[in-house]
C-alpha cells in the first residue's frame, strides 16, 4: 500500500509541475513546499533534506522531476537519492531527456529490473550522447556478434560499455576471442568488460608465459586453461596463489618488464614508419 501511495505521489508531482514556494504561516522554513512534495513522493524527511542539499541552484521543478523519473524506473527512495548523490548533474537534465533515455535503454532489451540495475551501476548512461550509445550497441551486435539474449545481459552487468570508444571496446573483445579463445557466452557469464583491459592482459600473459594458459586451436588445448571468471575476479593474491602459482614480487617484476616490452615495440614501430618514409623519399628522388 505504501508503495502504491508513493507512486501516486510521483504521478501527481509530474502532473502538478513545480512546487509552489512556501507561504507565511504554518511552515515558514525555506523549501518547506519542496519537502512536502518530496514526502508525498515517498521520501522521508531526512531524505528530502539530503535531496534539497544537492545542486542548490537547481529549481524545484527540475529536482522533483528528476527524482520522479528515477522512482518510475523502479528505484526506491533511498536508491534514487544515492544515485543523485553520486551523479548530482542528473538534476540539471530535463525530465524529457531522462524519460527518452530510459525508453532507449528499454528498447535494447533492458526490462525494468535490468534497467534499474544498469542505471544504478552507471548513472552516466543518462549523459552519454546518443550517437556514442548507438555506436557501442552496433559494434556489440554486428562485430562482436552478441545475440539478442546476450546483449541485455552485457548492458545490465557492464553498462559502462556504452561509454567506451568503439575501437577500445572492439580491441578488448578481439583479445578475449582470438588470443584467449573465449566465446561470447563465457564473456557474458564472466562479465568480461568489467575488468580494465590492461589488467586482463597482464593476468593472461603472465599465465601464458608460465605455461598455464594456451590459446585453443580448433577448440582444443594441451593444458586445462583456467576459467575466465577466475582470471577476472579472483583477488590478486588468490589469483597468484591458486592460478599462477607465483608471488606478488614476481608479478610486479613481470608487469614492469611487460610495460617495457610495449614501449620498445612502440619505438620500433615508429622507427619502422620513419624508415619507410625515407625509402619513399629516396625512390621519389631517383625517379
Amino acid at each position: 500500500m505504501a508503495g502504491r501511495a508513493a507512486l501516486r505521489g510521483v504521478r501527481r508531482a509530474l502532473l502538478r509541475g513545480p512546487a509552489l514556494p512556501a507561504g507565511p504561516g504554518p511552515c515558514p522554513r525555506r523549501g518547506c513546499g519542496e519537502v512536502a512534495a518530496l514526502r508525498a513522493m515517498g521520501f522521508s524527511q531526512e531524505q528530502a533534506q539530503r535531496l534539497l542539499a544537492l545542486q542548490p541552484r537547481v529549481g524545484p521543478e527540475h529536482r522533483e522531476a528528476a527524482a520522479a523519473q528515477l522512482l518510475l524506473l523502479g528505484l526506491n527512495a533511498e536508491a534514487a537519492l544515492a544515485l543523485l548523490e553520486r551523479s548530482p548533474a542528473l538534476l540539471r537534465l530535463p525530465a524529457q531527456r531522462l524519460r527518452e533515455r530510459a525508453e532507449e535503454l528499454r528498447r535494447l532489451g533492458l526490462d525494468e529490473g535490468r534497467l534499474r540495475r544498469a542505471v544504478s551501476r552507471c548513472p552516466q548512461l543518462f549523459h552519454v550522447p546518443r550517437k556514442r550509445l548507438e555506436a557501442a550497441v552496433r559494434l556489440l551486435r554486428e562485430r562482436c556478434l552478441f545475440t539478442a539474449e546476450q546483449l541485455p545481459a552485457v548492458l545490465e552487468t557492464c553498462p559502462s560499455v556504452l561509454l567506451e570508444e568503439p575501437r577500445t571496446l572492439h580491441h578488448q573483445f578481439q583479445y578475449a576471442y582470438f588470443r584467449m579463445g573465449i566465446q561470447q557466452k563465457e564473456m557474458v557469464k564472466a562479465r568480461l568488460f568489467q575488468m580494465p583491459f590492461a589488467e586482463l592482459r597482464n593476468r593472461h600473459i603472465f599465465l601464458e608465459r608460465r605455461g598455464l594458459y594456451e590459446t585453443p586451436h580448433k577448440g582444443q588445448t594441451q593444458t586445462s586453461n583456467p576459467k575466465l571468471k577466475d582470471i577476472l575476479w579472483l583477488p590478486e593474491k588468490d589469483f597468484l596463489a591458486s592460478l599462477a602459482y607465483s608471488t606478488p614480487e614476481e608479478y610486479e617484476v613481470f608487469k614492469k618488464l611487460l610495460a617495457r616490452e610495449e614501449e620498445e615495440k612502440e619505438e620500433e614501430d615508429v622507427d619502422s614508419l620513419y624508415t619507410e618514409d625515407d625509402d619513399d623519399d629516396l625512390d621519389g628522388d631517383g625517379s
Side-chain angles (χ1 to χ4, degrees):
M1 294 295 291
R4 291 197 191 97
L7 191 56
R8 285 197 295 272
V10 171
R11 292 191 175 117
R12 281 198 300 271
L14 290 173
L15 293 171
R16 183 183 65 247
L20 295 174
C27 192
R29 289 183 301 166
R30 184 181 178 183
C32 183
E34 288 186 68
V35 170
L38 293 170
R39 291 293 303 276
M41 293 162 62
F43 292 93
S44 68
Q45 181 78 20
E46 184 266 341
Q47 289 168 338
Q49 294 294 347
R50 284 163 58 193
L51 187 48
L52 287 177
L54 298 175
Q55 299 283 337
R57 295 184 180 181
V58 170
E61 67 279 4
H62 280 86
R63 196 186 317 277
E64 289 181 33
Q69 290 302 324
L70 295 179
L71 293 175
L72 289 173
L73 291 180
L75 296 172
N76 61 33
E78 183 60 32
L81 177 58
L83 187 63
L84 290 169
E85 287 177 330
R86 285 167 50 208
S87 186
L90 289 176
L91 292 169
R92 296 197 298 268
L93 290 179
Q96 181 68 16
R97 168 73 177 276
L98 294 172
R99 189 160 47 248
E100 288 175 353
R101 178 50 51 85
E103 286 303 318
E104 290 167 5
L105 294 171
R106 286 190 183 97
R107 284 194 291 271
L108 296 177
L110 293 174
D111 57 24
E112 292 307 317
R114 282 178 161 172
L115 178 58
R116 182 169 65 249
R117 288 185 286 272
V119 299
S120 295
R121 291 179 175 123
C122 187
Q124 296 90 337
L125 290 179
F126 288 109
H127 296 286
V128 63
R130 180 183 292 180
K131 288 185 177 179
R132 171 72 64 81
L133 184 150
E134 291 173 346
V137 170
R138 188 163 54 249
L139 184 141
L140 291 168
R141 281 176 171 163
E142 298 175 6
R143 303 190 68 184
C144 301
L145 300 179
F146 287 104
T147 67
E149 291 75 25
Q150 291 168 343
L151 181 61
V154 172
L155 300 182
E156 175 195 354
T157 58
C158 313
S160 60
V161 296
L162 296 174
L163 312 181
E164 293 284 355
E165 288 285 352
R167 182 188 304 176
T168 303
L169 192 59
H170 196 216
H171 184 56
Q172 185 162 352
F173 168 81
Q174 287 184 311
Y175 186 91
Y177 189 83
F178 292 108
R179 282 281 281 113
M180 299 180 70
I182 304 296
Q183 299 297 308
Q184 288 88 338
K185 183 178 180 180
E186 189 176 354
M187 293 182 199
V188 174
K189 188 176 180 180
R191 295 167 291 159
L192 168 72
F193 297 107
Q194 281 191 9
M195 171 168 274
F197 173 66
E199 182 59 23
L200 166 68
R201 185 172 173 277
N202 284 341
R203 290 191 176 198
H204 167 247
I205 295 178
F206 191 56
L207 291 172
E208 192 176 52
R209 293 189 181 178
R210 293 179 68 80
L212 298 170
Y213 198 102
E214 180 184 343
T215 301
H217 178 66
K218 296 184 178 179
Q220 302 297 318
T221 63
Q222 298 298 314
T223 64
S224 180
N225 286 336
K227 293 185 179 300
L228 179 63
K229 65 180 181 63
D230 293 332
I231 296 174
L232 295 177
W233 297 115
L234 281 176
E236 186 173 291
K237 63 181 182 63
D238 296 328
F239 163 76
L240 293 172
S242 61
L243 292 188
Y245 308 111
S246 185
T247 65
E249 292 76 17
E250 287 177 315
Y251 190 46
E252 286 304 312
V253 170
F254 161 77
K255 287 190 286 188
K256 290 176 182 177
L257 291 174
L258 186 62
R260 188 180 303 169
E261 286 179 21
E262 285 298 304
E263 290 177 5
E264 291 173 354
K265 183 177 183 302
E266 288 177 5
E267 290 174 0
E268 289 175 3
D269 290 342
V270 171
D271 290 343
S272 174
L273 181 62
Y274 280 118
T275 301
E276 290 175 3
D277 289 343
D278 291 342
D279 289 343
D280 290 341
D281 291 340
L282 290 172
D283 290 343
D285 291 342
S287 61

